[in-house]
Every structure is written in structure tokens, then in C-alpha cells.
Amino acid sequence: MKNTDACLHVRGESVFIDDRLVPEGTLYAAVLSSPVPHAKIIEFDISKAKSVEGVEGIFTADDIPGVNQIGNIIKDEVLFADEEVHYIGQPIAIVVSKSDVISHKTINEIKIEFVKFTPVFDPRESYKKGQLITPTRTFSLGDVDNEWKKCDLLIEGTVESGGQEHIYMETQGALAYPSEDGTIKIISSTQAPTAVQRIAANVLGLPMNKIEVDVLRIGGGFGGKEDQAVPWAVMTALASFKLKKPVKLVLHRKEDIIMTGKRHSYSSDYKMGLSKGGKILAYEVTFYQNAGAAADLSTAIMERSLFHATNSYYIPNAKITCISCKTNLPPNTAFRGFGAPQALFVMESAIYKAADKLGINPSVLQEKNLIKDGDEFTYGMILKNSTARKCWQTAEKHYSIEKLYKDVKEFNSKNKIFKKGISMMPICFGISFTNTMLNQASALVHVYTDGSVSVSTAAVEMGQGVNTKIRQVASEVFSININRIRVESTNTSRVSNTSPTAASTGADLNGGATRIACMNILERLKNFVSDKHKNQNLKTVEIMDEVVYLNGKKTGLKWDELINEAYTNRISLSAQAHYATPDIYFDKKKEKGEPFAYHVFGVAVTEVTLDCLKGIYEIDSVKIVHDAGKSFNRLIDLGQMEGGVVQGIGWATIEELMYAKDGKLLTDSFSTYKIPDIYFAPFEIKVHFLENKNTQVGIFNSKAIGEPPFLYGIGTYFALTKAMKEFRPDLKEKFSIPLTPEKVLLALYEKP
Ligand code: MTE
Ligand code: LUZ
Ligand code: MOS
């Protein structure tokens, strides 16, 4: 079963925002954004810009009929800067004209002057100044303070990880149409249609029922459109509301990179205590999260860092603290993994440092401390159905790890300039939004009189294949051919109060709702057939492969005939259903609960070859054993694995955001910000899905797949540092991501 969108993509027939045929009279908006990181606006003059031929409107904070506020969790972010600006790239105004070119040119005709303030970019510095996004939170288990003295080995360290630009293929954008009675329809490239609807309504001072948001598909989101699709959509809505004309805004790539937030960089301090035998007895860590100038999703991301700080290990005494620091950068936001990659990198760094001290292979410590059934996470959840160890053992056998180590050792002994390194990277990722409320979804299913089926849900298709999975659900429940089923656009008038498609829950939640809606219609159909055969000793009615079976015997009645008959007899052929993940909760006062429906485990074995003369490297292979439950669609899941791994490797190795002293982003294009291409990607990515068919979790016993594979990318960092140490045993490891070839080279030849 392929991702059914693949054919459209390959032919260039999929319709993204910029592919839409626009109505006559459509206007184009361009954004004026701040060129300085922190300042007061003292002069703002649009008189010249206003008179440019073709310009139909210029809108600022003063033109907002409702509230100038787009903060989602914390109300701390304006749509347009009013008095002060807080980061380079912060929107101040939009120019709307007959063409994209005129709008962009006219931006330069707006006169604006600032009085500059001193900006802060470093999270530790903003922490010292008391500039926090939200109060600091701590999770704790056992008693670290009491445990340190019982440890045989104590290690401490600092770990850095950089940000990451999303590089979704489709940049941010939206198209808004005015309709009658002051209503507006917004086509948005968003993962969160309801957030766009709600915030557009607030900004325009309208009730939500006057805003309809529609998302056909988006050209990648990766978290970058969970919160940050909102401003652009609201800007088009505002302009279209004011001008009574359709308005389109699609960011140019450079604008997108400059104006939008990224993965949070983290700076962290840790302390770890171990027994002689290599048991991790205590772990304390403090994450300084670089949130940027507004909260955005930082508080939720901080939470996931707290949840995942101990990765797939059981540590009886732990104290995990996260501090969300306000800086003069664009508000950082969701990105695949959502705070977990940063936390896992610190944990693994601690393990590698400890192994170094003990003079053993880090994999010994990793394996020894893997979490098992009955163990408690720092947040009080007792693990059930752990596959951490099973994945590890399967990887050892399946990929002949011992031989791999031997071969690498031999290679290194024979080569002076080229060195190889191997790492093991176990992962753990909790599935569910950490905010319990968000774990709900709805579906609306129609069966038409010809037997074709239409499904609407809250899920946004962003390339992850959720629409194909939803089609599979309807096809399984009805037992009809998948080609009869269409998944419609995600639309707030058809499916309301949607959670964002995020946290890897798209298929679980929306597939869950689809399943219930289909089952309701099926039930009605079966009852209809039973009623028809009343008094005929009918025990069972079933539909299999589009044919009706009575008492297990095939009849001549086909699916489309059944539907037609049911319609003729006035049976409803539509259903709406709601799904909420059962039995999850979290008590924020105690910082304990069962926030996740289940956990995903796996392990990656990474092998790299380093050219120690040039500092460049190649990734020979990433071999993974992954628990996907009973994979619901192998090809899609494999695609998610490969994409996630490569994206994670990019973050760990070559994707480097660089800023000038004044905070200006220097890596604002593809020539300076390098993401993995096919040449950089591992030569081989092998995925072995663990045979774990009895998991009673997820949609049809599958496990969510969207984000977890990203975490395997961290393994490449450690494989590289191992190779570096083969060349230079006295290497001073910095535990800093990304480990670019440049940094490798400098470290290899750094003076001791
Ligand atoms: N895959 C593609 N092709 N494009 C994307 O934007 N986003 C990832 C992941 N895989 C993404 C993707 C992220 S961050 C998440 S949370 C999940 O997909 C969201 O979809 P799901 O919940 O349906 O897995
Ligand atoms: N978004 C969110 C997420 O709002 N809550 C989450 O827990 C989450 N997790 C991963 C990715 N996005
Ligand atoms: Mo994904 S970071 O949950 O959009």
C-alpha cells in the first residue's frame, strides 16, 4: 500500500498554496519586518509608500479591529510590532498591492527609525537578567542529593545543541477570500487550522463561526507550522477583511528563514553518579532553553524535555530542571522531537563521558541501564510493555554487532588517515500531546449513494501519509476497496475544534475518530439488513470485500447495491464521531501522572568513516531496530523512518545556524545553510521493525511513527567522536551539536 499522494507529487499535480488558481482581483501582501533585534520605533511614515502605483493598502497594529495578540499558550506575542521590536524579522506592517513584486518593492518606501536597545541572544545571560518565558519547572524522582555520596563515580559537564531551520519545501503562506456577511475563508498552509481560525477571529474581532479555515495539504511542516502558520494567515484575513478582496501572502524562502522561529538551541549542565558496576544511580540536569522573543510553544517543548531527559534508561534518582529563557531571536517553535532531541543528547553525552572515565564501551552502560517493565519514569508513570531491551538485543543479533566492532577495529588498525566509528543510540518517545486536553479528534464520514466514501478529519496531510492511513481505516472497517475512499481537505466548518496535527498523533487520533464514525454507519447498515430478514433466523450480518454475508454465507448483495437500498429506505449514511485517548492524565502540581498512551522504543547502530586529513566524513550506515507495533503501512512508516533519521543527522552534523554580532542570521539561504542531500545521507539505512504484533495501542495496534526516528540521528554525532578519538586519543570532546566537518578538523588539530 503506497502513499496515495505520491503519484500527484511526482507529476507536480498536488496543489499547494502557490499552485492555487486565484480569483480575479486577488491582491498580494509583503511583510515589512524589523531589521534590528531590540528597539523602540520612533518614526514610522508610510506616506510615500501609500502613493506607489498599484498599492491598495498598508496595514499595521493600528488597523487591527480586534486585539493585536497571537500568543497561543501565553498571550505575549503581537501580530504587528506597535511600539517596540524584539527580534530581527519581527513583522511591523504589510503592504498589499496588485503584485508580489510591487508589494516587495514598496516595503523599502516605508520610512522607519529606531532607538536601539541592547539585545540578548544567550539564554544563560537572559536567565541571569531574570528574563524568563515562564516559571522554571522541575521533575524529580528519588533523592539525588542524598544519592551522590553513595556513588562510586561522579561526572559533570556542559552540553550545547544548536537550533535547526525547518526547511519545509513549501514556505509559509495563506490566501484569504472575503464572502458575504463579513465572513472570511482562509486557505492556509498550517498544521493547526483551529489555531488559525481562533486567532484570526480574535484579531478581527469576529466570532469563530465567521472564519472558515481550509487545508488541502501542506508541503511539509515538521512542527514549523504548528504555531507559526498563524501570523501569515491572519495577515491575509485582515487585509481581505479591510479591502473586501482576496489577498495572498506566500513568504519568499529568505523571508521565511529570517522571520520564523526554529528548533530551540539548548545549553545544559548535568551531573551523573554511577556505581562501580555501571548502574546510573543519580542524574541531575538543567536545560537553558533559548526561547526567543515570545513563548510560542516553548512551555510545551520544555515539558517534553523534562519528560524525556532520561531517554530509555531507568534512573532511580533524578532531578530535571528546564528554564525557558527569553532572548531577542524569532520565537523558537515546535520541530520534530519537540524538546526530546536536546534532552537525549545531554543524557547520551553524560553516558559517553562516564564510559570514558570507566574506560569501557558506552554501549555497556547503555544496555545495563535500559528501562524495563515496572520501572518508574521521573514523572511517575510505571512502564508497561517495554521493548527497550528487546530492540537492543534484536539489533545485536540482527546486525551482528560484535563482528561490526571487530571489523571497525581492524579497519582502524590498518588505516592512518581514515578512521571509522560506531555508536549505538537507543531511543524512547512518549506518544500523546503532553497537554492531555489536546488528545482528541473528530471525523465526519459520508457514504454517497454510489458507494463512494468521503472522510473529513482534523488531520493535516503534510507528506507523512496520514490521509493514506485514514483511507486504510475506512477501507478496513467497511471492508471495501480503498479506491472508493477519499480524504477531504481539513476544514474547520466540517470538523471543528481540531488539535494540531502534531506530537505524532495524527493517525492515532484521527484514525481513531474515523474508525468510530465508520463503525456507526456499518452498524446502521447491518441493522438495516437484519430488519429486512426479520423472522429468518439471522444470526450474523457481515460485509467482506464489498459483499454482504448472512450467517457466514455469501449473498448476491454488493456494497453499492446495499448502500443504494439503505438510502432508498431512508437510512442515514453519514456519521460524525469523536475520539479521545483513554486513561491519560497529568497533575502539574505534583508533576506526576500518566501523560502518554504508550512509549516508542528502538535502537540505531551508526557507522561512519572520517577523513582525518580533511575533517570530512561519510555515514556508511544506520541500522535500526524499531518498535512500530504492528506497522499500519510499511512503506509509509519506512519513509518516515528514513526521513526522520536523515533530518536528525542534519541537526547533529551539518546544519549550523550562524548569526552576526547584532543577531542578524547569516545562514539565510541554501548556499549557507546546508541540509542533508542525497550525497550526504547515509549510504545505507536499514530498518527492522520489531515483531511486536500484540501491542494493544495506537490505530489497529500500530505505533505512531512521525517523530521518534529523528532521535536516531544523534547516534551519528557519537559515531563521529569515536572515529575522532581513534585518530587523536587525547581529543578534548566538547559535546556540542552540530559537529560540522569544520569543527571536526579544528578539534583534530587543536593544540593540546
Ligand atoms: N513527514 C513529512 N513528510 N512531512 C512533515 O512535515 N512532520 C513530522 C512527522 N513526519 C512531517 C513528517 C512531525 S514533526 C510530526 S509531529 C508528524 O509527522 C505529524 O504527523 P503524524 O502525527 O500524522 O505522524
Ligand atoms: N505539540 C504539543 C507537540 O502541543 N504538545 C506536544 O506534546 C507535542 N509533542 C511533540 C510535538 N508537538
Ligand atoms: Mo511535530 S514537532 O509535533 O509537528
Side-chain angles (χ1 to χ4, degrees), residues 191 220-223 335-337 462-464 466 501-507 640 706-707:
Q191 293 174 244
F222 305 111
F335 197 142
R336 206 173 198 169
M462 60 187 104
Q464 87 281 40
V466 70
T501 302
S504 309
T505 59
Q640 286 294 296
E707 293 170 283

Side-chain angles (χ1 to χ4, degrees), residues 642-692:
E642 292 175 349
V645 166
V646 173
Q647 202 167 32
I649 293 176
W651 174 62
T653 59
I654 55 170
E655 293 186 39
E656 187 174 33
L657 292 163
M658 297 182 96
Y659 298 88
K661 272 212 183 74
D662 68 351
K664 188 178 180 308
L665 182 63
L666 299 170
T667 49
D668 59 3
S669 73
F670 291 138
S671 62
T672 47
Y673 187 76
K674 303 299 267 185
I675 62 167
D677 58 13
I678 194 67
Y679 302 105
F680 181 79
F683 282 108
E684 187 180 28
I685 299 177
K686 272 195 179 167
V687 178
H688 175 83
F689 288 119
L690 194 72
E691 294 298 323
N692 183 25

Side-chain angles (χ1 to χ4, degrees), residues 534-553:
K534 244 187 310 203
N535 315 324
Q536 286 178 21
N537 198 16
L538 187 61
K539 289 200 189 83
T540 61
V541 181
E542 280 163 301
I543 298 168
M544 281 191 282
D545 295 330
E546 307 208 346
V547 179
V548 175
Y549 285 70
L550 299 179
N551 291 339
K553 277 210 198 83

Side-chain angles (χ1 to χ4, degrees), residues 313-332:
Y313 308 112
Y314 171 60
I315 304 178
N317 303 281
K319 189 173 170 195
I320 321 293
T321 300
C322 191
I323 305 171
S324 185
C325 311
K326 198 181 216 159
T327 57
N328 296 107
L329 291 170
N332 286 320

Side-chain angles (χ1 to χ4, degrees), residues 177-185 206-207 209-211 241 244:
Y177 311 80
S179 186
E180 62 172 35
D181 196 22
T183 59
I184 293 187
K185 179 167 179 174
L206 296 175
N209 64 9
K210 283 199 156 182
I211 308 268
F241 183 71
K244 303 273 178 292

Side-chain angles (χ1 to χ4, degrees), residues 236-272:
T236 59
L238 173 68
S240 119
F241 183 71
K242 291 273 183 172
L243 298 169
K244 303 273 178 292
K245 287 189 180 169
V247 176
K248 178 170 150 178
L249 169 56
V250 174
L251 293 186
H252 296 187
R253 177 64 67 182
K254 205 161 192 156
E255 294 174 325
D256 187 301
I257 298 180
I258 290 170
M259 295 181 195
T260 64
K262 323 216 168 301
R263 180 186 298 286
H264 297 69
S265 63
Y266 274 43
S267 182
S268 314
D269 298 321
Y270 71 84
K271 182 173 173 183
M272 183 181 267

